[in-house]
Amino acid sequence: MGRLTEAAAAALRLRARRGPLPLPFPREEDGTNGGASEAGEEKEAPGRRRRLGLLATVWLTFYNIAMTAGWLVLAIAMVRFYMEKGTHKGLYKSIQKTLKFFQTFALLEIVHCLIGIVPTSVIVAGVQVSSRIFMVWLITHSIKPIQNEESVVLFLVAWTVTEITRYSFYTFSLLDHLPYFIKWARYNFFIILYPVGVVGELLTIYAALPYVKKTGMFSIRLPNKYNVSFDYYYFLLITMASYIPLFPQLYFHMLRQRRKVLHGEVIVEKDD
Amino acid sequence: MKHYEVEILDAKTREKLCFLDKVEPHATIAEIKNLFTKTHPQWYPARQSLRLDPKGKSLKDEDILQKLPVGTTATLYFRDLGAQISWVTVFLTEYAGPLFIYLLFYFRVPFIYGHKYDFTSSRHSVVHLACICHSFHYVKRLLETLFVHRFSHGTMPLRNIFKNCTYYWGFAAWMAYYINHPLYTPPTYGAQQVKLALAIFVICQLGNFSIHMALRDLRPAGSKTRKIPYPTKNPFTWLFLLVSCPNYTYEVGSWIGFAIMTQCLPVALFSLVGFTQMTIWAKGKHRSYLKEFRDYPPLRMPIIPFLL
């Protein structure tokens, strides 16, 4: 499909497509959305700019300031450790409590989506937070031998810079005073940080594999009363494989957002 | 008799796609769709969504042109729903899969379990019973698809068949793997548990079938009329007093029965996922009933009496 005329573009497209994504389940048993919004297009409600209540605004502002501060503290702690010790060994151990606290606290973001004070879909937020929780609690916390791997530092750096940028972006947006460089950072840093973070995460999981296989951790074998089995080793292999379809989708989604937000480019989405 | 003119525009680009003149006032949307297909043969009627407003709801095939809020030159907006597949085809495919796949595991076809187990048979009676129940369930579904159900829509988007089959076939394989495994552990409370579970399963299968028959009888063949379902002489349909979608209630019940019978966690998970999906559908159906019928019985809940 080609470019829209300017009038049509102004009417239809010049807004960030941040509306809720369609549920994975069809709304009707026959697989349609009741005719209301086929092919994943949101309804264009009049007065689209969300009117947040005062309480929600205050809470979200507090939340985003707190998270910005938390990840800043993490960043400073990591830099200081490296400056004092000259090595990354022991770095994870020294920052793990702070990391676990702030990353776990981010579960609240799913609640924000559920109650509708943030326009992101619950599923998208859920996937994003879950993948972080998975790395922190089910990999680095649970598999101690890999805590001193270089790859851990790699993703920690990527996460820290990403989160400081992201949370300060939200904070300033809520305060209606967004400095251009924050917006610029949010929509440019990811170009490097996403791949770096992914590489760090994948290398860490890969390093953990031998320990998981040897100890059989988090696994259930047959026979057992509930006739189920689970092999954490194969689960990790599948998780690593799932990065292949998932990462490009997220990456290109961010690239499209970037083009719209920074360059005001009008893009007509393909019919889904 | 005044004829209408109908112009059809693309809902996204507002491009003029088709102009029909001398349209009868009592023409239906279905007839207009057929006329539109003549100029754009790649968009067969099933994949056309025509609406009065580019972002509004689709018009129904039965809607009559002169009854719509349009002038004598009507503007309709078109959206392509994408490739469509008949609902019957989807149902038959998604139900035939589990029937066949479960039997592969039941007969312990080679390369599933260790080679020493190839084509062996379980020594637990509950495993044989489970196979009968699972197979019966899907045979029932296939027969209902062919002979009982009367569908509101003829087609659904093509991508649904891949999504649906992955769900049904995937879960069927996962459950069947454990139930028919050489290391399967029979239920903790033995024959008592199995008997109770079988009773639940049979009652719910009969109930589900009764509801399907009652719903079929509500709607004459070939029509798309919608009426409030009410209990009939069949006691299984009395659940209509308490829920809008007792077919879903009975379906969840059947799978809970099957889970208790096999004491298999994957079955319980399948029941839970199915229950979640059916609750979403039931709530939607309940809402449409409430919107369409002023006198809808207030006691009814969507899927679980009094609760949900």
Side-chain angles (χ1 to χ4, degrees), chain A residues 205-235:
Chain A
I205 301 174
Y206 184 72
L209 288 176
Y211 298 101
V212 171
K213 190 164 209 174
K214 195 172 63 172
T215 61
M217 63 185 287
F218 293 167
S219 301
I220 316 170
R221 306 240 177 273
L222 288 176
N224 62 72
K225 200 158 58 145
Y226 296 113
N227 294 302
V228 67
S229 67
F230 180 76
D231 191 325
Y232 193 47
Y233 179 78
Y234 286 106
F235 174 77

PDB file of all heavy atoms in Angstrom, chain A residues 205-235:
ATOM      1  N   ILE A 205      22.538 -17.778  29.603  1.00  0.00           N
ATOM      2  CA  ILE A 205      21.744 -19.019  29.643  1.00  0.00           C
ATOM      3  C   ILE A 205      22.590 -20.182  29.126  1.00  0.00           C
ATOM      4  O   ILE A 205      22.601 -21.276  29.697  1.00  0.00           O
ATOM      5  CB  ILE A 205      20.457 -18.887  28.808  1.00  0.00           C
ATOM      6  CG1 ILE A 205      19.592 -17.745  29.320  1.00  0.00           C
ATOM      7  CG2 ILE A 205      19.667 -20.181  28.841  1.00  0.00           C
ATOM      8  CD1 ILE A 205      18.369 -17.456  28.469  1.00  0.00           C
ATOM      9  N   TYR A 206      23.319 -19.922  28.044  1.00  0.00           N
ATOM     10  CA  TYR A 206      24.159 -20.967  27.456  1.00  0.00           C
ATOM     11  C   TYR A 206      25.201 -21.459  28.464  1.00  0.00           C
ATOM     12  O   TYR A 206      25.456 -22.664  28.568  1.00  0.00           O
ATOM     13  CB  TYR A 206      24.826 -20.417  26.199  1.00  0.00           C
ATOM     14  CG  TYR A 206      25.646 -21.433  25.460  1.00  0.00           C
ATOM     15  CD1 TYR A 206      25.028 -22.454  24.743  1.00  0.00           C
ATOM     16  CD2 TYR A 206      27.039 -21.397  25.493  1.00  0.00           C
ATOM     17  CE1 TYR A 206      25.775 -23.403  24.075  1.00  0.00           C
ATOM     18  CE2 TYR A 206      27.792 -22.331  24.826  1.00  0.00           C
ATOM     19  CZ  TYR A 206      27.157 -23.335  24.112  1.00  0.00           C
ATOM     20  OH  TYR A 206      27.902 -24.279  23.459  1.00  0.00           O
ATOM     21  N   ALA A 207      25.792 -20.501  29.215  1.00  0.00           N
ATOM     22  CA  ALA A 207      26.789 -20.881  30.219  1.00  0.00           C
ATOM     23  C   ALA A 207      26.168 -21.704  31.335  1.00  0.00           C
ATOM     24  O   ALA A 207      26.844 -22.528  31.967  1.00  0.00           O
ATOM     25  CB  ALA A 207      27.456 -19.629  30.796  1.00  0.00           C
ATOM     26  N   ALA A 208      24.901 -21.478  31.585  1.00  0.00           N
ATOM     27  CA  ALA A 208      24.235 -22.179  32.687  1.00  0.00           C
ATOM     28  C   ALA A 208      23.868 -23.615  32.340  1.00  0.00           C
ATOM     29  O   ALA A 208      23.676 -24.450  33.231  1.00  0.00           O
ATOM     30  CB  ALA A 208      22.977 -21.414  33.081  1.00  0.00           C
ATOM     31  N   LEU A 209      23.766 -23.912  31.046  1.00  0.00           N
ATOM     32  CA  LEU A 209      23.266 -25.223  30.612  1.00  0.00           C
ATOM     33  C   LEU A 209      23.965 -26.424  31.256  1.00  0.00           C
ATOM     34  O   LEU A 209      23.291 -27.326  31.754  1.00  0.00           O
ATOM     35  CB  LEU A 209      23.325 -25.340  29.081  1.00  0.00           C
ATOM     36  CG  LEU A 209      22.304 -24.513  28.289  1.00  0.00           C
ATOM     37  CD1 LEU A 209      22.555 -24.663  26.796  1.00  0.00           C
ATOM     38  CD2 LEU A 209      20.886 -24.929  28.620  1.00  0.00           C
ATOM     39  N   PRO A 210      25.300 -26.466  31.273  1.00  0.00           N
ATOM     40  CA  PRO A 210      25.949 -27.651  31.852  1.00  0.00           C
ATOM     41  C   PRO A 210      25.571 -27.882  33.319  1.00  0.00           C
ATOM     42  O   PRO A 210      25.376 -29.021  33.734  1.00  0.00           O
ATOM     43  CB  PRO A 210      27.445 -27.339  31.739  1.00  0.00           C
ATOM     44  CG  PRO A 210      27.582 -26.221  30.801  1.00  0.00           C
ATOM     45  CD  PRO A 210      26.291 -25.501  30.749  1.00  0.00           C
ATOM     46  N   TYR A 211      25.432 -26.797  34.094  1.00  0.00           N
ATOM     47  CA  TYR A 211      25.083 -26.953  35.510  1.00  0.00           C
ATOM     48  C   TYR A 211      23.666 -27.454  35.668  1.00  0.00           C
ATOM     49  O   TYR A 211      23.361 -28.263  36.543  1.00  0.00           O
ATOM     50  CB  TYR A 211      25.231 -25.603  36.243  1.00  0.00           C
ATOM     51  CG  TYR A 211      26.634 -25.084  36.217  1.00  0.00           C
ATOM     52  CD1 TYR A 211      27.018 -24.086  35.324  1.00  0.00           C
ATOM     53  CD2 TYR A 211      27.597 -25.603  37.077  1.00  0.00           C
ATOM     54  CE1 TYR A 211      28.319 -23.626  35.285  1.00  0.00           C
ATOM     55  CE2 TYR A 211      28.900 -25.144  37.044  1.00  0.00           C
ATOM     56  CZ  TYR A 211      29.257 -24.160  36.142  1.00  0.00           C
ATOM     57  OH  TYR A 211      30.535 -23.709  36.106  1.00  0.00           O
ATOM     58  N   VAL A 212      22.781 -26.959  34.785  1.00  0.00           N
ATOM     59  CA  VAL A 212      21.382 -27.390  34.857  1.00  0.00           C
ATOM     60  C   VAL A 212      21.282 -28.866  34.542  1.00  0.00           C
ATOM     61  O   VAL A 212      20.595 -29.626  35.225  1.00  0.00           O
ATOM     62  CB  VAL A 212      20.515 -26.560  33.885  1.00  0.00           C
ATOM     63  CG1 VAL A 212      19.119 -27.134  33.788  1.00  0.00           C
ATOM     64  CG2 VAL A 212      20.462 -25.117  34.332  1.00  0.00           C
ATOM     65  N   LYS A 213      22.023 -29.283  33.498  1.00  0.00           N
ATOM     66  CA  LYS A 213      21.962 -30.696  33.112  1.00  0.00           C
ATOM     67  C   LYS A 213      22.509 -31.580  34.218  1.00  0.00           C
ATOM     68  O   LYS A 213      21.941 -32.605  34.553  1.00  0.00           O
ATOM     69  CB  LYS A 213      22.780 -30.899  31.825  1.00  0.00           C
ATOM     70  CG  LYS A 213      22.561 -32.269  31.245  1.00  0.00           C
ATOM     71  CD  LYS A 213      23.010 -32.389  29.816  1.00  0.00           C
ATOM     72  CE  LYS A 213      22.113 -33.451  29.178  1.00  0.00           C
ATOM     73  NZ  LYS A 213      22.280 -33.623  27.807  1.00  0.00           N
ATOM     74  N   LYS A 214      23.632 -31.153  34.804  1.00  0.00           N
ATOM     75  CA  LYS A 214      24.286 -31.972  35.810  1.00  0.00           C
ATOM     76  C   LYS A 214      23.413 -32.122  37.054  1.00  0.00           C
ATOM     77  O   LYS A 214      23.272 -33.220  37.590  1.00  0.00           O
ATOM     78  CB  LYS A 214      25.638 -31.330  36.180  1.00  0.00           C
ATOM     79  CG  LYS A 214      26.573 -32.272  36.935  1.00  0.00           C
ATOM     80  CD  LYS A 214      27.944 -31.657  37.098  1.00  0.00           C
ATOM     81  CE  LYS A 214      27.824 -30.396  37.938  1.00  0.00           C
ATOM     82  NZ  LYS A 214      29.135 -29.837  38.316  1.00  0.00           N
ATOM     83  N   THR A 215      22.820 -31.021  37.520  1.00  0.00           N
ATOM     84  CA  THR A 215      22.076 -31.080  38.783  1.00  0.00           C
ATOM     85  C   THR A 215      20.624 -31.490  38.597  1.00  0.00           C
ATOM     86  O   THR A 215      19.969 -31.857  39.557  1.00  0.00           O
ATOM     87  CB  THR A 215      22.078 -29.700  39.472  1.00  0.00           C
ATOM     88  OG1 THR A 215      21.425 -28.766  38.597  1.00  0.00           O
ATOM     89  CG2 THR A 215      23.477 -29.225  39.780  1.00  0.00           C
ATOM     90  N   GLY A 216      20.116 -31.413  37.358  1.00  0.00           N
ATOM     91  CA  GLY A 216      18.698 -31.720  37.145  1.00  0.00           C
ATOM     92  C   GLY A 216      17.781 -30.781  37.906  1.00  0.00           C
ATOM     93  O   GLY A 216      16.674 -31.141  38.297  1.00  0.00           O
ATOM     94  N   MET A 217      18.223 -29.545  38.126  1.00  0.00           N
ATOM     95  CA  MET A 217      17.444 -28.600  38.932  1.00  0.00           C
ATOM     96  C   MET A 217      16.133 -28.231  38.251  1.00  0.00           C
ATOM     97  O   MET A 217      16.028 -28.234  37.021  1.00  0.00           O
ATOM     98  CB  MET A 217      18.269 -27.333  39.187  1.00  0.00           C
ATOM     99  CG  MET A 217      18.615 -26.573  37.916  1.00  0.00           C
ATOM    100  SD  MET A 217      19.690 -25.186  38.220  1.00  0.00           S
ATOM    101  CE  MET A 217      18.586 -24.050  38.991  1.00  0.00           C
ATOM    102  N   PHE A 218      15.139 -27.869  39.078  1.00  0.00           N
ATOM    103  CA  PHE A 218      13.823 -27.416  38.634  1.00  0.00           C
ATOM    104  C   PHE A 218      13.130 -28.452  37.735  1.00  0.00           C
ATOM    105  O   PHE A 218      12.261 -28.104  36.955  1.00  0.00           O
ATOM    106  CB  PHE A 218      13.909 -26.089  37.851  1.00  0.00           C
ATOM    107  CG  PHE A 218      14.335 -24.909  38.675  1.00  0.00           C
ATOM    108  CD1 PHE A 218      14.716 -23.726  38.052  1.00  0.00           C
ATOM    109  CD2 PHE A 218      14.375 -24.958  40.059  1.00  0.00           C
ATOM    110  CE1 PHE A 218      15.092 -22.622  38.793  1.00  0.00           C
ATOM    111  CE2 PHE A 218      14.756 -23.860  40.811  1.00  0.00           C
ATOM    112  CZ  PHE A 218      15.121 -22.685  40.181  1.00  0.00           C
ATOM    113  N   SER A 219      13.535 -29.698  37.818  1.00  0.00           N
ATOM    114  CA  SER A 219      12.965 -30.699  36.920  1.00  0.00           C
ATOM    115  C   SER A 219      12.169 -31.741  37.679  1.00  0.00           C
ATOM    116  O   SER A 219      12.452 -32.028  38.835  1.00  0.00           O
ATOM    117  CB  SER A 219      14.089 -31.372  36.126  1.00  0.00           C
ATOM    118  OG  SER A 219      14.801 -30.410  35.393  1.00  0.00           O
ATOM    119  N   ILE A 220      11.143 -32.256  37.018  1.00  0.00           N
ATOM    120  CA  ILE A 220      10.327 -33.349  37.584  1.00  0.00           C
ATOM    121  C   ILE A 220      10.427 -34.535  36.633  1.00  0.00           C
ATOM    122  O   ILE A 220      10.267 -34.373  35.418  1.00  0.00           O
ATOM    123  CB  ILE A 220       8.833 -32.958  37.657  1.00  0.00           C
ATOM    124  CG1 ILE A 220       8.657 -31.552  38.193  1.00  0.00           C
ATOM    125  CG2 ILE A 220       8.080 -33.955  38.529  1.00  0.00           C
ATOM    126  CD1 ILE A 220       7.243 -31.041  38.054  1.00  0.00           C
ATOM    127  N   ARG A 221      10.688 -35.702  37.197  1.00  0.00           N
ATOM    128  CA  ARG A 221      10.807 -36.889  36.332  1.00  0.00           C
ATOM    129  C   ARG A 221       9.629 -37.828  36.553  1.00  0.00           C
ATOM    130  O   ARG A 221       8.985 -37.786  37.586  1.00  0.00           O
ATOM    131  CB  ARG A 221      12.107 -37.633  36.650  1.00  0.00           C
ATOM    132  CG  ARG A 221      13.337 -36.777  36.573  1.00  0.00           C
ATOM    133  CD  ARG A 221      14.344 -37.286  35.518  1.00  0.00           C
ATOM    134  NE  ARG A 221      15.469 -36.376  35.437  1.00  0.00           N
ATOM    135  CZ  ARG A 221      15.503 -35.293  34.659  1.00  0.00           C
ATOM    136  NH1 ARG A 221      14.486 -34.996  33.889  1.00  0.00           N
ATOM    137  NH2 ARG A 221      16.560 -34.508  34.645  1.00  0.00           N
ATOM    138  N   LEU A 222       9.388 -38.690  35.585  1.00  0.00           N
ATOM    139  CA  LEU A 222       8.396 -39.754  35.757  1.00  0.00           C
ATOM    140  C   LEU A 222       9.065 -40.923  36.474  1.00  0.00           C
ATOM    141  O   LEU A 222      10.262 -41.135  36.311  1.00  0.00           O
ATOM    142  CB  LEU A 222       7.873 -40.215  34.406  1.00  0.00           C
ATOM    143  CG  LEU A 222       6.943 -39.265  33.653  1.00  0.00           C
ATOM    144  CD1 LEU A 222       6.606 -39.863  32.290  1.00  0.00           C
ATOM    145  CD2 LEU A 222       5.670 -38.997  34.428  1.00  0.00           C
ATOM    146  N   PRO A 223       8.354 -41.782  37.161  1.00  0.00           N
ATOM    147  CA  PRO A 223       6.915 -41.674  37.442  1.00  0.00           C
ATOM    148  C   PRO A 223       6.638 -40.769  38.636  1.00  0.00           C
ATOM    149  O   PRO A 223       7.479 -40.639  39.517  1.00  0.00           O
ATOM    150  CB  PRO A 223       6.532 -43.122  37.783  1.00  0.00           C
ATOM    151  CG  PRO A 223       7.766 -43.715  38.380  1.00  0.00           C
ATOM    152  CD  PRO A 223       8.926 -43.025  37.698  1.00  0.00           C
ATOM    153  N   ASN A 224       5.475 -40.139  38.639  1.00  0.00           N
ATOM    154  CA  ASN A 224       5.050 -39.369  39.803  1.00  0.00           C
ATOM    155  C   ASN A 224       3.521 -39.330  39.832  1.00  0.00           C
ATOM    156  O   ASN A 224       2.865 -39.663  38.840  1.00  0.00           O
ATOM    157  CB  ASN A 224       5.637 -37.951  39.785  1.00  0.00           C
ATOM    158  CG  ASN A 224       5.186 -37.140  38.591  1.00  0.00           C
ATOM    159  OD1 ASN A 224       4.042 -36.724  38.514  1.00  0.00           O
ATOM    160  ND2 ASN A 224       6.087 -36.922  37.658  1.00  0.00           N
ATOM    161  N   LYS A 225       3.007 -38.887  40.958  1.00  0.00           N
ATOM    162  CA  LYS A 225       1.555 -38.952  41.220  1.00  0.00           C
ATOM    163  C   LYS A 225       0.731 -38.157  40.208  1.00  0.00           C
ATOM    164  O   LYS A 225      -0.399 -38.514  39.913  1.00  0.00           O
ATOM    165  CB  LYS A 225       1.324 -38.378  42.623  1.00  0.00           C
ATOM    166  CG  LYS A 225       0.026 -38.771  43.265  1.00  0.00           C
ATOM    167  CD  LYS A 225       0.054 -38.657  44.783  1.00  0.00           C
ATOM    168  CE  LYS A 225       0.388 -37.260  45.278  1.00  0.00           C
ATOM    169  NZ  LYS A 225      -0.342 -36.943  46.530  1.00  0.00           N
ATOM    170  N   TYR A 226       1.311 -37.061  39.681  1.00  0.00           N
ATOM    171  CA  TYR A 226       0.519 -36.184  38.812  1.00  0.00           C
ATOM    172  C   TYR A 226       0.823 -36.392  37.335  1.00  0.00           C
ATOM    173  O   TYR A 226       0.384 -35.619  36.491  1.00  0.00           O
ATOM    174  CB  TYR A 226       0.702 -34.714  39.223  1.00  0.00           C
ATOM    175  CG  TYR A 226       0.169 -34.479  40.608  1.00  0.00           C
ATOM    176  CD1 TYR A 226       1.027 -34.163  41.661  1.00  0.00           C
ATOM    177  CD2 TYR A 226      -1.186 -34.634  40.890  1.00  0.00           C
ATOM    178  CE1 TYR A 226       0.543 -33.988  42.934  1.00  0.00           C
ATOM    179  CE2 TYR A 226      -1.676 -34.464  42.164  1.00  0.00           C
ATOM    180  CZ  TYR A 226      -0.818 -34.140  43.194  1.00  0.00           C
ATOM    181  OH  TYR A 226      -1.293 -33.975  44.463  1.00  0.00           O
ATOM    182  N   ASN A 227       1.571 -37.438  37.041  1.00  0.00           N
ATOM    183  CA  ASN A 227       1.775 -37.810  35.640  1.00  0.00           C
ATOM    184  C   ASN A 227       2.175 -36.628  34.774  1.00  0.00           C
ATOM    185  O   ASN A 227       1.543 -36.325  33.754  1.00  0.00           O
ATOM    186  CB  ASN A 227       0.518 -38.501  35.095  1.00  0.00           C
ATOM    187  CG  ASN A 227       0.299 -39.826  35.780  1.00  0.00           C
ATOM    188  OD1 ASN A 227       1.161 -40.707  35.744  1.00  0.00           O
ATOM    189  ND2 ASN A 227      -0.837 -39.970  36.439  1.00  0.00           N
ATOM    190  N   VAL A 228       3.214 -35.949  35.216  1.00  0.00           N
ATOM    191  CA  VAL A 228       3.721 -34.832  34.439  1.00  0.00           C
ATOM    192  C   VAL A 228       5.244 -34.872  34.531  1.00  0.00           C
ATOM    193  O   VAL A 228       5.794 -35.459  35.465  1.00  0.00           O
ATOM    194  CB  VAL A 228       3.167 -33.500  34.980  1.00  0.00           C
ATOM    195  CG1 VAL A 228       3.711 -33.207  36.372  1.00  0.00           C
ATOM    196  CG2 VAL A 228       3.452 -32.354  34.028  1.00  0.00           C
ATOM    197  N   SER A 229       5.916 -34.289  33.578  1.00  0.00           N
ATOM    198  CA  SER A 229       7.362 -34.172  33.699  1.00  0.00           C
ATOM    199  C   SER A 229       7.797 -32.817  33.186  1.00  0.00           C
ATOM    200  O   SER A 229       7.073 -32.169  32.426  1.00  0.00           O
ATOM    201  CB  SER A 229       8.069 -35.297  32.934  1.00  0.00           C
ATOM    202  OG  SER A 229       7.852 -35.151  31.549  1.00  0.00           O
ATOM    203  N   PHE A 230       8.919 -32.374  33.648  1.00  0.00           N
ATOM    204  CA  PHE A 230       9.447 -31.084  33.202  1.00  0.00           C
ATOM    205  C   PHE A 230      10.947 -31.162  33.257  1.00  0.00           C
ATOM    206  O   PHE A 230      11.527 -31.559  34.269  1.00  0.00           O
ATOM    207  CB  PHE A 230       8.917 -29.967  34.108  1.00  0.00           C
ATOM    208  CG  PHE A 230       9.407 -28.606  33.715  1.00  0.00           C
ATOM    209  CD1 PHE A 230       8.871 -27.957  32.621  1.00  0.00           C
ATOM    210  CD2 PHE A 230      10.422 -27.978  34.432  1.00  0.00           C
ATOM    211  CE1 PHE A 230       9.318 -26.707  32.238  1.00  0.00           C
ATOM    212  CE2 PHE A 230      10.883 -26.714  34.061  1.00  0.00           C
ATOM    213  CZ  PHE A 230      10.323 -26.082  32.963  1.00  0.00           C
ATOM    214  N   ASP A 231      11.577 -30.775  32.167  1.00  0.00           N
ATOM    215  CA  ASP A 231      13.038 -30.812  32.117  1.00  0.00           C
ATOM    216  C   ASP A 231      13.528 -29.391  31.903  1.00  0.00           C
ATOM    217  O   ASP A 231      13.348 -28.826  30.812  1.00  0.00           O
ATOM    218  CB  ASP A 231      13.480 -31.732  30.978  1.00  0.00           C
ATOM    219  CG  ASP A 231      14.964 -32.029  31.051  1.00  0.00           C
ATOM    220  OD1 ASP A 231      15.748 -31.143  31.462  1.00  0.00           O
ATOM    221  OD2 ASP A 231      15.355 -33.153  30.703  1.00  0.00           O
ATOM    222  N   TYR A 232      14.117 -28.816  32.933  1.00  0.00           N
ATOM    223  CA  TYR A 232      14.523 -27.416  32.870  1.00  0.00           C
ATOM    224  C   TYR A 232      15.560 -27.197  31.775  1.00  0.00           C
ATOM    225  O   TYR A 232      15.604 -26.162  31.136  1.00  0.00           O
ATOM    226  CB  TYR A 232      15.073 -26.975  34.236  1.00  0.00           C
ATOM    227  CG  TYR A 232      15.242 -25.485  34.393  1.00  0.00           C
ATOM    228  CD1 TYR A 232      14.242 -24.600  34.017  1.00  0.00           C
ATOM    229  CD2 TYR A 232      16.412 -24.950  34.929  1.00  0.00           C
ATOM    230  CE1 TYR A 232      14.405 -23.237  34.163  1.00  0.00           C
ATOM    231  CE2 TYR A 232      16.576 -23.597  35.089  1.00  0.00           C
ATOM    232  CZ  TYR A 232      15.566 -22.736  34.705  1.00  0.00           C
ATOM    233  OH  TYR A 232      15.720 -21.378  34.859  1.00  0.00           O
ATOM    234  N   TYR A 233      16.407 -28.204  31.559  1.00  0.00           N
ATOM    235  CA  TYR A 233      17.430 -28.095  30.532  1.00  0.00           C
ATOM    236  C   TYR A 233      16.793 -27.858  29.157  1.00  0.00           C
ATOM    237  O   TYR A 233      17.168 -26.930  28.441  1.00  0.00           O
ATOM    238  CB  TYR A 233      18.267 -29.378  30.519  1.00  0.00           C
ATOM    239  CG  TYR A 233      19.363 -29.426  29.486  1.00  0.00           C
ATOM    240  CD1 TYR A 233      20.557 -28.743  29.691  1.00  0.00           C
ATOM    241  CD2 TYR A 233      19.206 -30.162  28.307  1.00  0.00           C
ATOM    242  CE1 TYR A 233      21.572 -28.782  28.746  1.00  0.00           C
ATOM    243  CE2 TYR A 233      20.220 -30.199  27.350  1.00  0.00           C
ATOM    244  CZ  TYR A 233      21.392 -29.515  27.587  1.00  0.00           C
ATOM    245  OH  TYR A 233      22.386 -29.557  26.636  1.00  0.00           O
ATOM    246  N   TYR A 234      15.810 -28.695  28.785  1.00  0.00           N
ATOM    247  CA  TYR A 234      15.161 -28.519  27.495  1.00  0.00           C
ATOM    248  C   TYR A 234      14.331 -27.245  27.457  1.00  0.00           C
ATOM    249  O   TYR A 234      14.230 -26.582  26.419  1.00  0.00           O
ATOM    250  CB  TYR A 234      14.306 -29.746  27.144  1.00  0.00           C
ATOM    251  CG  TYR A 234      15.172 -30.910  26.746  1.00  0.00           C
ATOM    252  CD1 TYR A 234      15.359 -31.990  27.608  1.00  0.00           C
ATOM    253  CD2 TYR A 234      15.848 -30.905  25.538  1.00  0.00           C
ATOM    254  CE1 TYR A 234      16.191 -33.035  27.261  1.00  0.00           C
ATOM    255  CE2 TYR A 234      16.675 -31.950  25.186  1.00  0.00           C
ATOM    256  CZ  TYR A 234      16.846 -33.008  26.055  1.00  0.00           C
ATOM    257  OH  TYR A 234      17.674 -34.036  25.726  1.00  0.00           O
ATOM    258  N   PHE A 235      13.774 -26.878  28.616  1.00  0.00           N
ATOM    259  CA  PHE A 235      13.024 -25.622  28.708  1.00  0.00           C
ATOM    260  C   PHE A 235      13.934 -24.449  28.362  1.00  0.00           C
ATOM    261  O   PHE A 235      13.551 -23.549  27.618  1.00  0.00           O
ATOM    262  CB  PHE A 235      12.460 -25.465  30.122  1.00  0.00           C
ATOM    263  CG  PHE A 235      11.797 -24.144  30.369  1.00  0.00           C
ATOM    264  CD1 PHE A 235      10.530 -23.893  29.873  1.00  0.00           C
ATOM    265  CD2 PHE A 235      12.447 -23.141  31.086  1.00  0.00           C
ATOM    266  CE1 PHE A 235       9.908 -22.671  30.092  1.00  0.00           C
ATOM    267  CE2 PHE A 235      11.841 -21.923  31.304  1.00  0.00           C
ATOM    268  CZ  PHE A 235      10.563 -21.684  30.805  1.00  0.00           C
TER     269      PHE A 235
END
